[in-house]
Amino acid sequence: MSTALISNTKRSKFRFKRTKFLYQFLLYLSPVILLTTIFPLVTPRISEVTVGRTQLTEIILAVSITVPWMSQSICLPIYRSMGDLLADREMDACMRRFAEYWLSTCVAVLPVLLVFAAPFYFALNWDFAALFAFLLLGFLNMAFGQLLVIANLPTTNRNTWAFAWLAYALALLLFPTVWFLPPLMGMLVMLFVLRRHLRYLTAFKSLNYSDIAKEMLRGFLLGTVLWADKYVLFIVQDGHMDVVAVYMGLVPAVIAYNYFFAAEATKVDRAVARLRETIQSKGYRQVQSYSAKVETRVVDSTRRTLMVAAVSSAIVALLMFIFVHESFALALAVIVSSWLFLAVTIYSYQVDYLGSHTIPQMIGLAHLLLCIIAFGLVPHTGGYFIIMVGEVVLMMVSYVAFRRIWKAPAYDLFWRHAMAW
């Protein structure tokens, strides 16, 4: 009787944990779900509007390609400003620190936006009205992205993330031609969360500008692998591309990427934190033993993430073949390429996580050059086949670096600590 009761209790706990995870995972995916649903509904109305000589749809598409790539770049300095407090999980102090540095960090977005905007102005012949709309919409989305850092703090309710994106999506659905409204509505939700710390905004504290530049470059190159191909393809095709095929092809990688941070990254964080404690308090033999366990956990987490991407890819490919057959060739090329991009991104992230920044940045730069060369030679779907060949090489390089670094994580953690000391 007692055994059966214990067994039922364990099953109930397992079901509760699984349900909780699925709920949290759906919250992670809320922007993908909301925007994928709403954009097709509002596109006809948006396409009727022009800004200068450019259709509003083209400007919004340019922003939607640019912002995800820039997000890592502009958010890394924010995390850097909170570094010590974040490690100690002092969330209230983190929000105060965020408020102190946010406005000055926002300013750092502008030069990056100008760099991204230059090809649109020169290659696509945008006028100043279109360029201004892109810069303003890009800046608002970047500011919103920085505020979302608050929703990613370890003890913050993940509902906050979903509510902010819901406000964004509702503004887009109800007022699609008021193009600056969605990020403003999302920002209002996050500023409400920050309300007790708003008085610290006037502190205007700033990190060292050379540190900001290094962190932004690091984030830019880490984000390059998942996003550079869309940006380059958009330019070589004169601002027009098969949006459905490209974005549906990217969906499996986005799902798996979110799965990694929702389900696997926290496990790795806990394992590494325990390894640090072991290094400080235990002997060599215990450190070696637990270090091997950490390596196994990280490798398994990465493998599960790539399996999620593979299964999602097969499902999306089948749906595209059935429902959008005319775009299947491009969608399949993007799906396969995106799986490779995800693998390189996850391996590079894990290498960067232990403090080895140079290799991931070199891989990101090589990927960017690969995309430019491939679409320069073949400015259509065929460019992806050149990219796939090059990306297999980059995946092998990143995998070797990943296994080498995580073969002895205790060594890297010890020497990082020693050098910092």
Side-chain angles (χ1 to χ4, degrees):
M1 184 72 177
S2 59
T3 303
L5 183 61
I6 292 171
S7 179
N8 287 334
T9 302
K10 288 182 177 179
R11 281 197 294 269
S12 297
K13 287 182 178 179
F14 174 76
R15 284 196 295 268
F16 174 76
K17 287 182 178 179
R18 184 172 60 182
T19 303
K20 183 179 179 181
F21 167 73
L22 289 173
Y23 174 69
Q24 294 293 325
F25 187 45
L26 286 174
L27 293 181
Y28 259 99
L29 290 178
S30 56
V32 178
I33 296 169
L34 289 167
L35 298 181
T36 303
T37 303
I38 290 173
F39 258 116
L41 300 176
V42 301
T43 297
R45 291 173 63 187
I46 294 174
S47 62
E48 297 172 358
V49 179
T50 59
V51 180
R53 298 189 304 269
T54 308
Q55 274 196 322
L56 180 58
T57 48
E58 185 175 323
I59 296 170
I60 290 176
L61 181 56
V63 171
S64 68
I65 291 168
T66 303
V67 166
W69 187 358
M70 286 184 61
S71 292
Q72 278 185 283
S73 180
I74 56 95
C75 288
L76 273 181
I78 294 284
Y79 283 110
R80 184 183 180 87
S81 72
M82 298 186 297
D84 54 330
L85 300 174
L86 198 57
D88 296 331
R89 300 178 71 86
E90 297 179 21
M91 295 305 109
D92 193 66
C94 275
M95 293 177 76
R96 173 178 173 174
R97 182 78 61 81
F98 175 94
E100 290 173 341
Y101 283 87
W102 181 49
L103 291 181
S104 60
T105 310
C106 266
V107 175
V109 171
L110 294 173
V112 183
L113 260 178
L114 287 170
V115 170
F116 274 91
F120 300 140
Y121 179 73
F122 292 108
L124 304 183
N125 297 314
W126 280 8
D127 56 21
F128 282 107
L131 185 65
F132 175 77
F134 170 81
L135 292 173
L136 179 58
L137 186 57
F139 179 78
L140 291 174
N141 276 279
M142 288 296 97
F144 174 51
Q146 288 181 328
L147 282 166
L148 285 172
V149 168
I150 298 169
N152 282 324
L153 296 177
T155 59
T156 304
N157 192 327
R158 179 54 62 174
N159 292 331
T160 302
W161 168 276
F163 284 139
W165 280 109
L166 181 61
Y168 187 109
L170 285 176
L172 178 64
L173 178 64
L174 298 176
F175 307 100
T177 58
V178 187
W179 45 268
F180 53 84
L181 188 60
L184 283 176
M185 295 305 297
M187 288 171 66
L188 284 176
V189 173
M190 296 312 304
L191 287 171
F192 178 77
V193 175
L194 195 65
R195 61 192 181 279
R196 291 193 298 111
H197 304 275
L198 291 179
R199 63 184 183 276
Y200 298 114
L201 289 174
T202 55
F204 294 109
K205 289 186 179 180
S206 177
L207 296 168
N208 182 284
Y209 285 113
S210 64
D211 290 337
I212 290 179
K214 289 176 184 176
E215 292 295 312
M216 293 185 76
L217 178 62
R218 176 178 155 221
F220 167 81
L221 291 173
L222 285 172
T224 292
V225 180
L226 270 180
W227 293 102
D229 63 301
K230 290 83 182 169
Y231 181 87
V232 178
L233 181 64
F234 179 78
I235 291 172
V236 299
Q237 294 196 335
D238 296 322
H240 304 285
M241 64 183 188
D242 190 334
V243 179
V244 174
V246 171
Y247 274 88
M248 287 305 294
L250 180 63
V251 163
V254 171
I255 290 173
Y257 190 72
N258 280 278
Y259 165 81
F260 176 78
F261 286 100
E264 305 294 349
T266 52
K267 296 177 185 176
V268 175
D269 287 342
R270 287 196 295 268
V272 170
R274 186 175 173 187
L275 179 58
R276 284 196 179 97
E277 294 174 1
T278 305
I279 291 171
Q280 293 172 359
S281 60
K282 304 291 183 181
Y284 175 79
R285 188 169 297 176
Q286 291 96 325
V287 170
Q288 288 296 101
S289 175
Y290 191 70
S291 182
K293 291 180 182 178
V294 172
E295 180 196 4
T296 300
R297 177 164 295 180
V298 172
V299 171
D300 288 345
S301 293
T302 305
R303 185 182 297 116
R304 283 191 292 270
T305 301
L306 295 179
M307 283 298 299
V308 169
V311 172
S312 303
S313 295
I315 294 171
V316 171
L318 180 61
L319 292 174
M320 290 297 293
F321 181 78
I322 295 171
F323 295 108
V324 198
H325 188 72
E326 65 277 8
S327 299
F328 178 70
L330 175 57
L332 184 61
V334 177
I335 287 170
V336 175
S337 299
S338 295
W339 188 92
L340 293 170
F341 299 162
L342 177 71
V344 173
T345 297
I346 295 297
Y347 292 143
S348 296
Y349 171 81
Q350 300 281 31
V351 172
D352 183 84
Y353 182 86
L354 282 188
S356 298
H357 304 314
T358 303
I359 295 174
Q361 290 182 60
M362 294 302 294
I363 289 173
L365 180 59
H367 175 85
L368 178 58
L369 294 174
L370 174 63
C371 290
I372 293 171
I373 293 169
F375 286 125
L377 294 172
V378 187
H380 51 74
T381 306
Y384 274 108
F385 295 101
I386 300 174
I387 292 173
M388 284 182 216
V389 174
E391 204 66 27
V392 169
V393 176
L394 292 180
M395 183 178 71
M396 293 170 62
V397 171
S398 61
Y399 176 75
V400 170
F402 163 69
R403 292 309 301 263
R404 182 181 62 81
I405 290 290
W406 284 93
K407 192 70 177 176
Y411 177 84
D412 285 87
L413 288 172
F414 172 79
W415 280 110
R416 281 178 62 199
H417 176 75
M419 292 299 290
W421 182 82

PDB file of all heavy atoms in Angstrom, residues 78-100:
ATOM      1  N   ILE A  78      24.731  44.863 -21.142  1.00  0.00           N
ATOM      2  CA  ILE A  78      23.776  44.917 -20.029  1.00  0.00           C
ATOM      3  C   ILE A  78      24.106  43.827 -19.009  1.00  0.00           C
ATOM      4  O   ILE A  78      24.172  44.072 -17.797  1.00  0.00           O
ATOM      5  CB  ILE A  78      22.336  44.735 -20.545  1.00  0.00           C
ATOM      6  CG1 ILE A  78      21.916  45.914 -21.430  1.00  0.00           C
ATOM      7  CG2 ILE A  78      21.368  44.555 -19.386  1.00  0.00           C
ATOM      8  CD1 ILE A  78      21.573  47.171 -20.685  1.00  0.00           C
ATOM      9  N   TYR A  79      24.296  42.605 -19.498  1.00  0.00           N
ATOM     10  CA  TYR A  79      24.640  41.511 -18.588  1.00  0.00           C
ATOM     11  C   TYR A  79      25.977  41.779 -17.901  1.00  0.00           C
ATOM     12  O   TYR A  79      26.161  41.431 -16.726  1.00  0.00           O
ATOM     13  CB  TYR A  79      24.702  40.192 -19.366  1.00  0.00           C
ATOM     14  CG  TYR A  79      23.342  39.611 -19.681  1.00  0.00           C
ATOM     15  CD1 TYR A  79      22.863  39.586 -20.991  1.00  0.00           C
ATOM     16  CD2 TYR A  79      22.538  39.076 -18.678  1.00  0.00           C
ATOM     17  CE1 TYR A  79      21.617  39.054 -21.288  1.00  0.00           C
ATOM     18  CE2 TYR A  79      21.287  38.539 -18.958  1.00  0.00           C
ATOM     19  CZ  TYR A  79      20.838  38.528 -20.272  1.00  0.00           C
ATOM     20  OH  TYR A  79      19.597  38.010 -20.558  1.00  0.00           O
ATOM     21  N   ARG A  80      26.903  42.377 -18.628  1.00  0.00           N
ATOM     22  CA  ARG A  80      28.211  42.691 -18.039  1.00  0.00           C
ATOM     23  C   ARG A  80      28.057  43.668 -16.872  1.00  0.00           C
ATOM     24  O   ARG A  80      28.724  43.518 -15.843  1.00  0.00           O
ATOM     25  CB  ARG A  80      29.139  43.292 -19.106  1.00  0.00           C
ATOM     26  CG  ARG A  80      30.553  43.572 -18.604  1.00  0.00           C
ATOM     27  CD  ARG A  80      31.398  44.231 -19.683  1.00  0.00           C
ATOM     28  NE  ARG A  80      32.740  44.509 -19.225  1.00  0.00           N
ATOM     29  CZ  ARG A  80      33.748  43.651 -19.275  1.00  0.00           C
ATOM     30  NH1 ARG A  80      33.573  42.456 -19.798  1.00  0.00           N
ATOM     31  NH2 ARG A  80      34.951  43.985 -18.830  1.00  0.00           N
ATOM     32  N   SER A  81      27.183  44.651 -17.017  1.00  0.00           N
ATOM     33  CA  SER A  81      26.988  45.636 -15.950  1.00  0.00           C
ATOM     34  C   SER A  81      26.443  44.996 -14.674  1.00  0.00           C
ATOM     35  O   SER A  81      26.659  45.492 -13.573  1.00  0.00           O
ATOM     36  CB  SER A  81      26.043  46.752 -16.422  1.00  0.00           C
ATOM     37  OG  SER A  81      24.715  46.282 -16.528  1.00  0.00           O
ATOM     38  N   MET A  82      25.709  43.883 -14.827  1.00  0.00           N
ATOM     39  CA  MET A  82      25.111  43.215 -13.666  1.00  0.00           C
ATOM     40  C   MET A  82      25.914  42.007 -13.206  1.00  0.00           C
ATOM     41  O   MET A  82      25.490  41.301 -12.288  1.00  0.00           O
ATOM     42  CB  MET A  82      23.682  42.766 -14.012  1.00  0.00           C
ATOM     43  CG  MET A  82      22.738  43.887 -14.364  1.00  0.00           C
ATOM     44  SD  MET A  82      21.033  43.318 -14.584  1.00  0.00           S
ATOM     45  CE  MET A  82      21.178  42.225 -15.987  1.00  0.00           C
ATOM     46  N   GLY A  83      27.064  41.748 -13.853  1.00  0.00           N
ATOM     47  CA  GLY A  83      27.795  40.494 -13.687  1.00  0.00           C
ATOM     48  C   GLY A  83      27.909  39.947 -12.279  1.00  0.00           C
ATOM     49  O   GLY A  83      27.448  38.845 -11.992  1.00  0.00           O
ATOM     50  N   ASP A  84      28.520  40.711 -11.357  1.00  0.00           N
ATOM     51  CA  ASP A  84      28.755  40.197 -10.014  1.00  0.00           C
ATOM     52  C   ASP A  84      27.450  39.946  -9.269  1.00  0.00           C
ATOM     53  O   ASP A  84      27.304  38.962  -8.550  1.00  0.00           O
ATOM     54  CB  ASP A  84      29.642  41.166  -9.229  1.00  0.00           C
ATOM     55  CG  ASP A  84      29.088  42.587  -9.222  1.00  0.00           C
ATOM     56  OD1 ASP A  84      28.420  42.973 -10.202  1.00  0.00           O
ATOM     57  OD2 ASP A  84      29.321  43.315  -8.236  1.00  0.00           O
ATOM     58  N   LEU A  85      26.471  40.830  -9.452  1.00  0.00           N
ATOM     59  CA  LEU A  85      25.184  40.680  -8.769  1.00  0.00           C
ATOM     60  C   LEU A  85      24.404  39.492  -9.326  1.00  0.00           C
ATOM     61  O   LEU A  85      23.722  38.779  -8.593  1.00  0.00           O
ATOM     62  CB  LEU A  85      24.355  41.961  -8.935  1.00  0.00           C
ATOM     63  CG  LEU A  85      24.981  43.241  -8.370  1.00  0.00           C
ATOM     64  CD1 LEU A  85      24.128  44.445  -8.727  1.00  0.00           C
ATOM     65  CD2 LEU A  85      25.135  43.133  -6.856  1.00  0.00           C
ATOM     66  N   LEU A  86      24.531  39.287 -10.636  1.00  0.00           N
ATOM     67  CA  LEU A  86      23.838  38.179 -11.287  1.00  0.00           C
ATOM     68  C   LEU A  86      24.373  36.847 -10.782  1.00  0.00           C
ATOM     69  O   LEU A  86      23.613  35.905 -10.538  1.00  0.00           O
ATOM     70  CB  LEU A  86      24.014  38.279 -12.807  1.00  0.00           C
ATOM     71  CG  LEU A  86      23.057  37.491 -13.702  1.00  0.00           C
ATOM     72  CD1 LEU A  86      21.616  37.873 -13.427  1.00  0.00           C
ATOM     73  CD2 LEU A  86      23.394  37.720 -15.159  1.00  0.00           C
ATOM     74  N   ALA A  87      25.692  36.781 -10.599  1.00  0.00           N
ATOM     75  CA  ALA A  87      26.311  35.545 -10.099  1.00  0.00           C
ATOM     76  C   ALA A  87      25.828  35.227  -8.688  1.00  0.00           C
ATOM     77  O   ALA A  87      25.660  34.060  -8.325  1.00  0.00           O
ATOM     78  CB  ALA A  87      27.823  35.677 -10.121  1.00  0.00           C
ATOM     79  N   ASP A  88      25.577  36.269  -7.892  1.00  0.00           N
ATOM     80  CA  ASP A  88      25.104  36.078  -6.516  1.00  0.00           C
ATOM     81  C   ASP A  88      23.581  36.046  -6.404  1.00  0.00           C
ATOM     82  O   ASP A  88      23.042  35.985  -5.297  1.00  0.00           O
ATOM     83  CB  ASP A  88      25.640  37.207  -5.625  1.00  0.00           C
ATOM     84  CG  ASP A  88      27.157  37.182  -5.525  1.00  0.00           C
ATOM     85  OD1 ASP A  88      27.724  36.080  -5.643  1.00  0.00           O
ATOM     86  OD2 ASP A  88      27.760  38.258  -5.355  1.00  0.00           O
ATOM     87  N   ARG A  89      22.902  36.129  -7.581  1.00  0.00           N
ATOM     88  CA  ARG A  89      21.425  36.060  -7.650  1.00  0.00           C
ATOM     89  C   ARG A  89      20.761  37.156  -6.818  1.00  0.00           C
ATOM     90  O   ARG A  89      19.710  36.941  -6.217  1.00  0.00           O
ATOM     91  CB  ARG A  89      20.943  34.669  -7.221  1.00  0.00           C
ATOM     92  CG  ARG A  89      21.477  33.548  -8.096  1.00  0.00           C
ATOM     93  CD  ARG A  89      21.013  32.193  -7.604  1.00  0.00           C
ATOM     94  NE  ARG A  89      19.606  31.985  -7.825  1.00  0.00           N
ATOM     95  CZ  ARG A  89      19.067  31.523  -8.953  1.00  0.00           C
ATOM     96  NH1 ARG A  89      19.859  31.241  -9.975  1.00  0.00           N
ATOM     97  NH2 ARG A  89      17.769  31.352  -9.070  1.00  0.00           N
ATOM     98  N   GLU A  90      21.358  38.331  -6.775  1.00  0.00           N
ATOM     99  CA  GLU A  90      20.761  39.479  -6.083  1.00  0.00           C
ATOM    100  C   GLU A  90      19.905  40.248  -7.090  1.00  0.00           C
ATOM    101  O   GLU A  90      20.321  41.247  -7.669  1.00  0.00           O
ATOM    102  CB  GLU A  90      21.863  40.359  -5.494  1.00  0.00           C
ATOM    103  CG  GLU A  90      22.704  39.662  -4.446  1.00  0.00           C
ATOM    104  CD  GLU A  90      23.799  40.562  -3.893  1.00  0.00           C
ATOM    105  OE1 GLU A  90      23.657  41.804  -4.009  1.00  0.00           O
ATOM    106  OE2 GLU A  90      24.779  40.039  -3.356  1.00  0.00           O
ATOM    107  N   MET A  91      18.675  39.777  -7.275  1.00  0.00           N
ATOM    108  CA  MET A  91      17.856  40.253  -8.379  1.00  0.00           C
ATOM    109  C   MET A  91      17.394  41.698  -8.207  1.00  0.00           C
ATOM    110  O   MET A  91      17.328  42.455  -9.172  1.00  0.00           O
ATOM    111  CB  MET A  91      16.641  39.327  -8.567  1.00  0.00           C
ATOM    112  CG  MET A  91      17.023  37.921  -9.005  1.00  0.00           C
ATOM    113  SD  MET A  91      18.032  37.888 -10.506  1.00  0.00           S
ATOM    114  CE  MET A  91      19.626  37.410  -9.866  1.00  0.00           C
ATOM    115  N   ASP A  92      17.064  42.084  -6.985  1.00  0.00           N
ATOM    116  CA  ASP A  92      16.628  43.462  -6.775  1.00  0.00           C
ATOM    117  C   ASP A  92      17.768  44.426  -7.094  1.00  0.00           C
ATOM    118  O   ASP A  92      17.578  45.455  -7.755  1.00  0.00           O
ATOM    119  CB  ASP A  92      16.163  43.650  -5.325  1.00  0.00           C
ATOM    120  CG  ASP A  92      15.419  44.963  -5.134  1.00  0.00           C
ATOM    121  OD1 ASP A  92      14.323  45.110  -5.719  1.00  0.00           O
ATOM    122  OD2 ASP A  92      15.935  45.840  -4.422  1.00  0.00           O
ATOM    123  N   ALA A  93      18.965  44.076  -6.667  1.00  0.00           N
ATOM    124  CA  ALA A  93      20.137  44.893  -6.969  1.00  0.00           C
ATOM    125  C   ALA A  93      20.438  44.876  -8.465  1.00  0.00           C
ATOM    126  O   ALA A  93      20.898  45.875  -9.026  1.00  0.00           O
ATOM    127  CB  ALA A  93      21.341  44.382  -6.174  1.00  0.00           C
ATOM    128  N   CYS A  94      20.171  43.740  -9.122  1.00  0.00           N
ATOM    129  CA  CYS A  94      20.374  43.652 -10.578  1.00  0.00           C
ATOM    130  C   CYS A  94      19.481  44.642 -11.316  1.00  0.00           C
ATOM    131  O   CYS A  94      19.921  45.310 -12.265  1.00  0.00           O
ATOM    132  CB  CYS A  94      20.059  42.230 -11.065  1.00  0.00           C
ATOM    133  SG  CYS A  94      21.427  41.080 -10.916  1.00  0.00           S
ATOM    134  N   MET A  95      18.221  44.739 -10.894  1.00  0.00           N
ATOM    135  CA  MET A  95      17.295  45.650 -11.562  1.00  0.00           C
ATOM    136  C   MET A  95      17.705  47.105 -11.343  1.00  0.00           C
ATOM    137  O   MET A  95      17.585  47.937 -12.243  1.00  0.00           O
ATOM    138  CB  MET A  95      15.874  45.379 -11.084  1.00  0.00           C
ATOM    139  CG  MET A  95      15.350  44.020 -11.520  1.00  0.00           C
ATOM    140  SD  MET A  95      13.706  43.614 -10.903  1.00  0.00           S
ATOM    141  CE  MET A  95      12.686  44.604 -11.966  1.00  0.00           C
ATOM    142  N   ARG A  96      18.207  47.407 -10.141  1.00  0.00           N
ATOM    143  CA  ARG A  96      18.708  48.757  -9.894  1.00  0.00           C
ATOM    144  C   ARG A  96      19.916  49.042 -10.797  1.00  0.00           C
ATOM    145  O   ARG A  96      20.011  50.104 -11.415  1.00  0.00           O
ATOM    146  CB  ARG A  96      19.098  48.918  -8.426  1.00  0.00           C
ATOM    147  CG  ARG A  96      19.790  50.250  -8.150  1.00  0.00           C
ATOM    148  CD  ARG A  96      20.142  50.424  -6.690  1.00  0.00           C
ATOM    149  NE  ARG A  96      20.940  51.636  -6.502  1.00  0.00           N
ATOM    150  CZ  ARG A  96      21.294  52.118  -5.314  1.00  0.00           C
ATOM    151  NH1 ARG A  96      20.927  51.493  -4.213  1.00  0.00           N
ATOM    152  NH2 ARG A  96      22.009  53.211  -5.236  1.00  0.00           N
ATOM    153  N   ARG A  97      20.842  48.085 -10.883  1.00  0.00           N
ATOM    154  CA  ARG A  97      22.022  48.247 -11.727  1.00  0.00           C
ATOM    155  C   ARG A  97      21.608  48.416 -13.192  1.00  0.00           C
ATOM    156  O   ARG A  97      22.180  49.214 -13.922  1.00  0.00           O
ATOM    157  CB  ARG A  97      22.930  47.032 -11.547  1.00  0.00           C
ATOM    158  CG  ARG A  97      24.237  47.071 -12.324  1.00  0.00           C
ATOM    159  CD  ARG A  97      25.268  47.956 -11.649  1.00  0.00           C
ATOM    160  NE  ARG A  97      25.636  47.530 -10.328  1.00  0.00           N
ATOM    161  CZ  ARG A  97      26.522  46.570 -10.036  1.00  0.00           C
ATOM    162  NH1 ARG A  97      27.129  45.915 -11.017  1.00  0.00           N
ATOM    163  NH2 ARG A  97      26.810  46.274  -8.791  1.00  0.00           N
ATOM    164  N   PHE A  98      20.608  47.630 -13.609  1.00  0.00           N
ATOM    165  CA  PHE A  98      20.107  47.751 -14.983  1.00  0.00           C
ATOM    166  C   PHE A  98      19.637  49.180 -15.253  1.00  0.00           C
ATOM    167  O   PHE A  98      19.978  49.779 -16.274  1.00  0.00           O
ATOM    168  CB  PHE A  98      18.946  46.778 -15.206  1.00  0.00           C
ATOM    169  CG  PHE A  98      18.286  46.912 -16.549  1.00  0.00           C
ATOM    170  CD1 PHE A  98      18.685  46.118 -17.607  1.00  0.00           C
ATOM    171  CD2 PHE A  98      17.260  47.834 -16.764  1.00  0.00           C
ATOM    172  CE1 PHE A  98      18.092  46.251 -18.858  1.00  0.00           C
ATOM    173  CE2 PHE A  98      16.673  47.982 -18.000  1.00  0.00           C
ATOM    174  CZ  PHE A  98      17.086  47.183 -19.055  1.00  0.00           C
ATOM    175  N   ALA A  99      18.837  49.721 -14.321  1.00  0.00           N
ATOM    176  CA  ALA A  99      18.298  51.069 -14.500  1.00  0.00           C
ATOM    177  C   ALA A  99      19.414  52.113 -14.552  1.00  0.00           C
ATOM    178  O   ALA A  99      19.350  53.067 -15.341  1.00  0.00           O
ATOM    179  CB  ALA A  99      17.323  51.399 -13.364  1.00  0.00           C
ATOM    180  N   GLU A 100      20.453  51.932 -13.754  1.00  0.00           N
ATOM    181  CA  GLU A 100      21.553  52.891 -13.723  1.00  0.00           C
ATOM    182  C   GLU A 100      22.314  52.946 -15.051  1.00  0.00           C
ATOM    183  O   GLU A 100      22.786  53.999 -15.471  1.00  0.00           O
ATOM    184  CB  GLU A 100      22.515  52.532 -12.589  1.00  0.00           C
ATOM    185  CG  GLU A 100      21.942  52.762 -11.199  1.00  0.00           C
ATOM    186  CD  GLU A 100      22.853  52.239 -10.097  1.00  0.00           C
ATOM    187  OE1 GLU A 100      23.733  51.392 -10.395  1.00  0.00           O
ATOM    188  OE2 GLU A 100      22.690  52.658  -8.941  1.00  0.00           O
TER     189      GLU A 100
END
